[in-house]
Amino acid sequence: MPMVRITDVRKAYASGLEALKGASLDIHEGEILALLGPNGAGKTTLISTICGITQPTSGTITVGGHDVVTDYRGARSLVGLVPQEINLEPFERVINTVRFSRGLFGKPKDDALLERILRQLSLWDKKDNRIMELSGGMKRRVLIAKALAHEPRVLFLDEPTAGVDVELRRDMWEIVAGLKKAGVTIILTTHYIEEAEAIADRIAVINKGEILLVEEKTALMTRLGQKELRIELHEPVDALPAALADRGLRIEEGGQVLVYTYDTAQERTGIATLIREVSEAGLVLRDLQTRQNSLEDIFVGLVSKQEDAA
Amino acid sequence: MNWQAIRAIYVFEMSRFFRTLLQSFVSPVISTSLYFVVFGAAIGSRIDQVEGVSYGAFIVPGLIMLSVMTQAISNASFGIYFPKFIGTIYELLSAPINFLEIVLGYVGAAATKALFIGIVILGTSALFVDLSIQHPLAMLAFLVLTCLSFALFGFIIGIWAGNFEQLQLIPLLVVTPLVFLGGSFYSISMLPPVWQTISFFNPVVYLVSGFRWSFFGFADVPIGLSLLAIAGFTVLCLAIIWWIFKTGWRIRQ
Ligand SMILES: Nc1ncnc2c1ncn2[C@@H]1O[C@H](COP(=O)(O)OP(=O)(O)OP(=O)(O)O)[C@@H](O)[C@H]1O
Ligand SMILES: [Mg+2]
């Protein structure tokens, strides 16, 4: 049973705009999932429907097996949310807002725990300050402290590092890593692909309310660590010559192009041998190209493919 | 029931009140004193007595009602409107709580604040005039019920309001006129007959009259009617709240 199961969720806002168009996604316990997508893709909407801020128009969502609509208490008590916008009462003191959050989730007072959380977020010496006296990055950390105050099993971070300096971003990553170690399931949205690369176990790409890809980061990275050599031929071929049959070549563009994939990390890429063998087989080269995938490529490729289809 | 959550909301709301304790305390004291100076001294020197009670004492129940009603409404409407306005409502929506618990927390706190102010005004009044309360229990019951029902009403306004103007609209256009014309400063029997008839359509008249009865033992309308009015108003507000709860109106998209 996945920690969060999203099944064919649609969300149409009152304006008629359909922000989610049948999204399905399983999130496993203890993993870090990065949700990537351009502005307006539906990331915040997806998170809001899971957390109870909006209701899905159709489809079901469960958290820890609890349906978020019919068994909202069971579901929501497992979930912590760090919203995208900095929503805090300016006149309130840090410690009070954090206590409030814990109480709202029905947890008894536990000042030792709150102290640990605030220390971990370097907010302890600011605990008696009013929110308006804090810097933007500190406010973001207060939001995290509030979300952690009730010891959630699943944490949603909606663009936690937007507008945050490099140092704080590293701090955030460390905090996220620490939470993962404690067994917390983490879903974060981000526009920074290198962020997803740095901390996520799996990566999901969403655009226009549809989830386009969900994949293990390592599998993605292997794809990324690979380079392609594209050999353009003078005359198209129907099939590979027998001499090249076991070289792992792919025929593309109606036989006009042979594609050779290789690992850049390897000592011998085999390119030299391959090119010799290609001409020995009687094929005439017209052009050579190499290209390296990046997560960005994959991302942009997916998004633009969807746009073409539309 | 998530009692911890109700408590958390209540404590959080009350802390806003205690943070401005001086202001919360001083402003009713000053305004009550001013009312005594203006109405008690200026008008009182001409009216002298109403049904055997000095004019100064006569206006005390009305003064308390006036403040309690407006305070309960403004506290409760602001209390729930403010999170909507600054966006902290996300926390209420994503917490394992239901609408009833939200209502209990916010309305409970708003009613407590109003009650506190009512008691402060009662205390201040005792410095100016001789007060005896004939039916203390009834007095307390009226006071608490008024605090609660008007806090419920204020909560509904706060849920409904989409901006600050709307938040002020109903208190300004409906509540304040009704309260001022509700017999706080005069007995309905002092009015010309036409105005007496019109006054009986003003629900506030019933509340002030009943509350005054608990002090002095006389009233503009039978005490049973007053009880019916406050009970009816409370039930009406509860019904609207129930409907909001059922439909999720103006809360969840
Ligand atoms: N309350 C709302 N009412 C109507 N439409 C909305 C509402 N909230 C979001 N939308 C629309 O839904 C779509 C998805 O928005 P959403 O906020 O989920 O995007 P996002 O992926 O979080 O984008 P960003 O990266 O900019 O935060 C957008 O077209 C947006 O305009
Ligand atoms: Mg967003």
Side-chain angles (χ1 to χ4, degrees):
Chain A
M1 186 76 198
M3 194 64 190
V4 179
R5 167 158 276 178
I6 301 161
T7 316
D8 201 23
V9 167
R10 292 176 176 275
K11 171 67 192 178
Y13 282 109
S15 60
L17 185 127
E18 200 170 34
L20 294 174
K21 299 169 187 158
S24 296
L25 177 65
D26 281 354
I27 301 163
H28 311 303
E29 179 156 22
E31 76 169 334
I32 300 179
L33 179 90
L35 195 55
L36 288 174
N39 288 130
K43 302 180 295 295
T44 302
T45 304
L46 184 64
I47 291 179
S48 300
T49 24
I50 302 170
C51 296
I53 291 163
T54 58
Q55 302 248 346
T57 311
S58 68
T60 54
I61 302 172
T62 60
V63 180
H66 306 278
D67 187 280
V68 297
V69 177
T70 55
D71 183 10
Y72 63 91
R73 280 197 210 263
R76 289 187 206 157
S77 51
L78 297 174
V79 172
L81 167 65
V82 179
Q84 182 173 3
E85 313 281 337
I86 295 187
N87 300 318
L88 289 165
E89 281 198 30
F91 303 107
E92 215 36 74
R93 296 192 192 282
V94 172
I95 186 77
N96 286 345
T97 76
V98 179
R99 272 204 196 111
F100 174 68
S101 303
R102 185 171 170 83
L104 262 193
F105 279 75
K107 296 283 171 82
K109 210 173 158 194
D110 185 347
D111 281 346
L113 173 85
L114 297 190
E115 177 174 346
R116 255 199 330 277
I117 292 172
L118 288 175
R119 279 192 193 283
Q120 194 189 6
L121 291 161
S122 317
L123 282 172
W124 183 244
D125 56 336
K126 299 280 179 197
K127 69 180 192 314
D128 294 317
N129 283 66
R130 292 179 196 284
I131 299 294
M132 59 183 182
E133 298 162 355
L134 304 183
S135 75
M138 290 173 189
K139 286 182 194 151
R140 211 164 262 289
R141 277 180 280 164
V142 172
L143 287 177
I144 299 180
K146 281 165 77 71
L148 294 179
H150 66 276
E151 304 159 275
R153 301 296 308 143
V154 184
L155 182 66
F156 288 90
L157 296 153
D158 199 352
E159 294 187 34
T161 53
V164 150
D165 69 15
V166 181
E167 198 180 340
L168 182 54
R169 189 175 303 175
R170 300 260 162 223
D171 285 355
M172 294 261 189
W173 294 358
E174 253 171 54
I175 292 162
V176 168
L179 288 168
K180 180 186 157 70
K181 221 177 257 167
V184 179
T185 308
I186 294 156
I187 295 91
L188 63 92
T189 73
T190 178
H191 288 286
Y192 303 110
I193 288 167
E194 70 274 17
E195 182 160 273
E197 286 186 25
I199 55 177
D201 298 314
R202 283 200 308 157
I203 290 171
V205 176
I206 181 173
N207 189 37
K208 297 200 168 167
E210 289 178 51
I211 292 179
L212 303 182
L213 164 144
V214 193
E215 197 164 323
E216 295 286 333
K217 184 186 63 181
T218 42
L220 265 180
M221 297 314 276
T222 325
R223 271 212 250 161
L224 305 185
Q226 287 181 336
K227 221 166 172 175
E228 271 180 8
L229 172 67
R230 300 172 67 82
I231 305 166
E232 209 174 309
L233 302 174
H234 234 286
E235 299 291 330
V237 291
D238 292 332
L240 286 173
L244 297 172
D246 55 353
R247 297 288 302 189
L249 289 173
R250 208 163 68 233
I251 302 181
E252 276 185 12
E253 297 181 24
Q256 197 80 53
V257 176
L258 300 180
V259 182
Y260 175 62
T261 337
Y262 61 98
D263 199 335
T264 45
Q266 255 161 10
E267 185 91 14
R268 293 179 170 275
T269 57
I271 293 179
T273 331
L274 177 75
I275 291 181
R276 202 179 58 238
E277 284 174 2
V278 166
S279 33
E280 277 171 11
L283 302 175
V284 184
L285 304 187
R286 201 168 81 172
D287 199 5
L288 288 177
Q289 280 175 344
T290 65
R291 57 182 292 255
Q292 181 152 29
N293 273 326
S294 73
L295 190 46
E296 188 124 22
D297 285 338
I298 294 181
F299 178 74
V300 171
L302 277 169
V303 169
S304 61
K305 205 187 290 170
Q306 191 199 17
E307 240 121 79
D308 291 346
Chain B
M1 275 302 239
N2 186 343
W3 292 106
Q4 287 284 356
I6 299 173
R7 211 186 76 130
I9 295 174
Y10 185 85
V11 169
F12 196 71
E13 284 299 296
M14 290 309 287
S15 82
R16 203 205 303 282
F17 180 66
F18 286 118
R19 200 163 52 218
T20 54
L21 187 62
L22 200 66
Q23 196 186 319
S24 317
F25 189 81
V26 168
S27 68
V29 170
I30 291 181
S31 61
T32 311
S33 307
L34 282 175
Y35 276 122
F36 273 112
V37 172
V38 175
F39 287 93
I43 301 177
S45 62
R46 288 160 170 267
I47 297 183
D48 198 28
Q49 282 202 338
V50 184
E51 312 216 13
V53 177
S54 79
Y55 184 71
F58 175 82
I59 62 170
V60 170
L63 269 185
I64 296 175
M65 276 293 181
L66 193 72
S67 298
V68 158
M69 289 172 184
T70 47
Q71 286 287 332
I73 289 181
S74 71
N75 281 324
S77 62
F78 185 78
I80 189 64
Y81 177 72
F82 193 54
K84 284 206 304 183
F85 178 67
I86 60 168
T88 50
I89 188 100
Y90 85 87
E91 251 200 312
L92 292 175
L93 296 179
S94 61
I97 53 176
N98 65 21
F99 187 63
L100 181 65
E101 288 150 358
I102 298 180
V103 171
L104 282 176
Y106 281 100
V107 169
T112 310
K113 293 177 208 176
L115 184 65
F116 174 84
I117 285 166
I119 290 168
V120 167
I121 295 175
L122 185 62
T124 315
S125 308
L127 301 176
F128 286 88
V129 291
D130 271 339
L131 271 182
S132 64
I133 301 170
Q134 290 194 7
H135 309 280
L137 275 183
M139 190 280 282
L140 206 63
F142 261 110
L143 192 57
V144 170
L145 265 177
T146 307
C147 290
L148 276 175
S149 57
F150 278 75
L152 281 171
F153 184 49
F155 186 86
I156 295 168
I157 294 175
I159 291 272
W160 164 76
N163 54 47
F164 271 103
E165 284 74 42
Q166 290 181 345
L167 197 63
Q168 310 287 356
L169 200 67
I170 291 185
L172 205 69
L173 290 188
V174 182
V175 180
T176 310
L178 286 185
V179 167
F180 269 90
L181 300 175
S184 295
F185 302 111
Y186 50 86
S187 164
I188 301 297
S189 61
M190 295 156 89
L191 296 174
V194 183
W195 283 104
Q196 286 194 26
T197 315
I198 293 174
S199 293
F200 291 127
F201 288 99
N202 179 356
V204 175
V205 166
Y206 296 82
L207 304 186
V208 171
S209 164
F211 194 51
R212 191 177 285 136
W213 170 85
S214 68
F215 279 76
F216 311 121
F218 61 82
D220 288 326
V221 293
I223 181 68
L225 271 183
S226 295
L227 279 173
L228 214 64
I230 183 80
F233 184 59
T234 311
V235 168
L236 179 69
C237 291
L238 285 174
I240 296 175
I241 297 256
W242 180 249
W243 176 78
I244 295 177
F245 173 55
K246 278 287 147 205
T247 60
W249 180 69
R250 296 244 180 184
I251 305 182
R252 211 167 244 120
Q253 283 155 337

